[in-house]
Structure formats: C-alpha cells, structure tokens
Amino acid sequence: MSLLDHLQARIRLDGPMSVADYMSECLLHPEFGYYATRDPLGVQGDFITAPEISQMFGELIGLCLAQSWLDQGRPSQFALAELGPGRGTLMGDILRATRGVPGFHDAAQVVLLDASPTLRAVQVETLRDHAPRWVDTITDLPDLPLFLVANEFFDALPIRQFLRDGDGWRERLIGADGDTLTFGLGAQAPQVALTHRLEDTQDGDLVEICAPALPILTEVARRITSNGGAALIIDYGDWHSLGDTFQALRAHETADPLAHPGQADLTAHVDFEPLTRAAKAAGCAHTRLTPQGVFLERLGITTRAQALADADGKARDTVIAAHRRLTHPDEMGNLFKVLGLYPSTAAPPPGLEP
Ligand code: SAH
C-alpha cells in the first residue's frame, strides 16, 4: 500500500477530491504523509527556510519580540510560542539572542505547535535546555500574553482552488485516470466565501482560499487582544491571491504537485487579506504587510551581518550571501512578507508600521 493507492481508493469511493483534501492527505497522513515520514528541511531535504539560511533571521525576530514585550510593560509570565517550528532553529536563535534581555527568559513559557512527529523529535533535541511544551491545537495555548512567530507555517495549510465562471465558481478537483492523478473541475456553484472576489476577478480567473488559517489566526488575535502580546507571521504570498500558486518542491526543484504524493512538499502562497480581516474581527490591530527584506533591514540585519563577518573572517562570504538571500528583492526579500498583530492599545512590533 502506498499513498497513491490510498488516494485512488478514496477517489473510487467518494469521487474527485478537493485540493485541500489532497494536500492534507499528502502532508499529514499519519503513515505515508510527507511530514510524518521525513525531516524535509535543509540541503539534504527538499527546501530551505530563512532560519536555516542564517542565525541572523532568528536573532532579529527574537529581539523584535523582546522589544514588544518591554514596550508592553514586561508581563511577568507569557507564552513564547511558535507555529510549525520545523527543526527548532528559529526558536533556538530567538532564545539565544534574548538571553541578555533582563527577565525575558524567566517570564517566558516556550510553547510549540507542530503536526510532524519527526520534526517534533528534532525540536526536543534543539530546544532541550528550554523545557518547551507542545500543544496539539491552537486553543491549548496557555491563557497568557502571547508573543508568537510563524515562519512558513500558513503556506503549508490546505487550500481550495476555484475558477471563476460567470457569477459562480467551479472548484478544481483531483481525480484519477488509470494510474495517474489528474485535475478536473466541479460543477458551477455560488461560493459565499468568495462573494467579495467577484469584484476583483474576471471569468476564467483562479482564486484560492485557505479555510484552516482563519480559526488559527482568530485564536491568536483573540489572545493578543485580551491578554496582550504580538505575533509575527512571515510567509510567501501577498494581499490577495490571484492565480494558481499550488506548488510542489522536491530536492529543491519544483515538481508536478500530483506526481509524487507524500514525497514532495506541497504549499500555496498565503493570502494575507483574509488574515487581517480575521484579526480585526477579533479586535486585534495589524501592521502593514511588509516585505521581509525591508523588515530585516529596519531591524538592523546589515549591522549584524557586519559584526558576524568581522568576528569570523572565514565566515565572511557565507554571511554576505545569507544577507543577500534573506533581503534582496530578487531573492526572498520581496516574495516573503511579514504581518504583525498587536493590541490596539500598544505600539506595533519594531520594524513594522500600523
Ligand atoms: N518554521 C520552520 C519550518 C517551516 S516548514 C522554518 O522556518 O524552518 C512547516 C512547518 O509547519 C513544519 O514544522 C511542519 O511540521 C509544520 N506544519 C505543517 N502543517 C501543519 C499543521 N497543519 N499543523 C501544525 N503544524 C504543521
């Protein structure tokens, strides 16, 4: 039995499945799912993320969150939380960079949410000195001020795709043709969740919605509103999705998303506008959507890169390359965006504007 066999059996039984159901099965199936069976990060894996490129990323995120904590009167207990912490590298760098902030570590309870048992095992090792706690759902976060980061987490949540057809939509579905999986389209139907997209799309346009992102964002925003805190959501995407951004990555190359179920990373660009609407509905303020390069420059990445290069001449080229990769508009600097959440009574996190 393989994941392909399982998917084909499911399609035979229930008919074609949504892209969201396909993504869930491929990423999270307990036996054959991508995240269940491997550590996908790094040179040996399928993709590399900002914290895996350089320690500078996590250090600056750590100082940004610590400054927000100071600005909000140093709450004596708070949750320092991460969604989808991968190998724990980002949280490790956050904790190292904030060692010198008086009282920050004593007040912090490190809380992690991750669906991958393989990566959780790596996080246990990386963060063993900091007694992290894992939660299975967002509602299990402690009822405390919440300082949270999510880097490349929302892009892994399942999306549905819809093709505009007159005043309605046809859902993109996945069926089987012999041994291969193929895309098709469902019947035309109205979609309440897409009513507002009738204004900025035309016949034949494809839009995406990520339903699971909203309850997660709402819960984070609700806690920040009632208890204080801040959240940094970093991902590739834009204000509104337009077009097909469903993609597979395998060994650092893009692949056909239907060709290797369970063996390739599947993601979609994050549509930030619905996240900001959910934040506002929960009474939480949000910052402008800011390119990652601009955010990191404002936090002082160039000064930090200089210091690292001066401290270790041999690392100079690597540090310069990492700085470029994280900030340059032709690399990750523009494709990746940062959205900050904060209480409407507080200042926005450093590096971001209201
Ligand atoms: N933030 C890390 C890892 C990004 S990869 C970094 O920047 O390096 C995506 C992470 O999200 C992985 O840790 C994966 O296990 C986790 N993840 C993916 N889908 C998830 C879901 N539905 N619920 C919880 N965690 C999920």
Side-chain angles (χ1 to χ4, degrees):
M1 182 88 173
S2 68
L3 187 61
L4 181 60
D5 297 332
H6 167 73
L7 293 169
Q8 284 179 320
R10 189 174 154 173
I11 291 167
R12 271 197 302 276
L13 204 64
D14 298 335
M17 65 174 78
S18 68
V19 172
D21 286 347
Y22 177 74
M23 264 182 102
S24 291
E25 292 271 32
C26 289
L27 294 177
L28 298 176
H29 186 284
E31 194 178 344
F32 306 117
Y34 181 71
Y35 281 116
T37 53
R38 70 198 72 208
D39 170 357
L41 288 146
V43 181
Q44 311 292 323
D46 294 308
F47 61 98
I48 190 150
T49 57
E52 301 293 334
I53 290 171
S54 168
Q55 67 187 73
M56 295 185 286
F57 183 80
E59 290 170 350
L60 294 169
I61 300 285
L63 295 175
C64 175
L65 291 176
Q67 185 61 52
S68 284
W69 175 77
L70 292 169
D71 291 344
Q72 292 183 35
R74 307 170 190 236
S76 61
Q77 274 194 69
F78 70 95
L80 179 59
E82 185 174 355
L83 307 182
R87 286 185 178 161
T89 307
L90 172 55
M91 185 53 82
D93 290 336
I94 289 173
L95 288 163
R96 199 186 55 260
T98 52
R99 257 188 325 217
V101 180
F104 189 74
H105 280 205
D106 289 342
Q109 294 182 15
V110 178
V111 187
L112 308 172
L113 183 145
D114 204 298
S116 161
T118 319
L119 288 171
R120 269 196 195 202
V122 182
Q123 294 152 23
V124 169
E125 288 303 313
T126 316
L127 300 170
R128 59 164 65 252
D129 295 339
H130 300 280
R133 190 154 80 72
W134 282 265
V135 291
D136 291 325
T137 70
I138 197 81
T139 46
D140 293 337
L141 286 174
D143 193 14
L144 292 172
L146 174 63
F147 291 83
L148 175 140
V149 62
N151 185 61
E152 290 210 47
F153 167 76
F154 283 94
D155 69 0
L157 300 182
I159 53 139
R160 291 170 71 187
Q161 296 186 313
F162 294 91
L163 198 76
R164 171 99 184 252
D165 181 359
D167 282 346
W169 303 88
R170 299 180 69 187
E171 181 158 13
R172 203 165 180 224
L173 298 173
I174 293 162
D177 180 8
D179 276 348
T180 49
L181 298 174
T182 54
F183 283 113
L185 287 173
Q188 199 254 27
Q191 290 294 336
V192 176
L194 290 173
T195 310
H196 65 296
R197 298 306 306 269
L198 291 172
E199 289 156 25
D200 70 344
T201 54
Q202 300 177 343
D203 234 17
D205 281 347
L206 188 143
V207 302
E208 299 173 336
I209 53 178
C210 181
L214 299 180
I216 296 174
L217 202 288
T218 299
E219 191 59 27
V220 169
R222 206 181 59 72
R223 278 156 197 270
I224 291 174
T225 304
S226 57
N227 298 347
L232 298 172
I233 295 160
I234 308 159
D235 232 306
Y236 54 124
D238 222 321
W239 189 243
H240 259 172
S241 81
L242 187 59
D244 175 15
T245 74
F246 181 43
Q247 76 162 25
L249 268 185
R250 208 173 171 218
H252 302 268
E253 304 274 342
T254 51
D256 173 351
L258 302 188
H260 312 281
Q263 292 168 43
D265 182 44
L266 297 178
T267 59
H269 284 199
V270 174
D271 200 8
F272 282 94
E273 190 266 348
L275 302 186
T276 63
R277 261 192 291 142
K280 274 192 278 202
C284 190
H286 68 84
T287 67
R288 279 189 212 183
L289 192 60
T290 305
Q292 172 175 298
V294 172
F295 173 66
L296 294 175
E297 288 293 358
R298 287 181 182 156
L299 293 177
I301 192 169
T302 302
T303 312
R304 181 64 184 136
Q306 198 75 55
L308 285 173
D310 290 348
D312 178 3
K314 286 200 290 298
R316 192 177 178 81
D317 290 350
T318 320
V319 171
I320 292 170
H323 175 276
R324 184 187 152 85
R325 191 135 177 227
L326 292 174
T327 61
H328 198 280
D330 293 342
E331 307 245 6
M332 296 170 82
N334 212 19
L335 181 61
F336 281 75
K337 308 284 194 307
V338 186
L339 180 73
L341 306 184
Y342 60 104
S344 50
T345 49
L352 299 171
E353 296 163 337

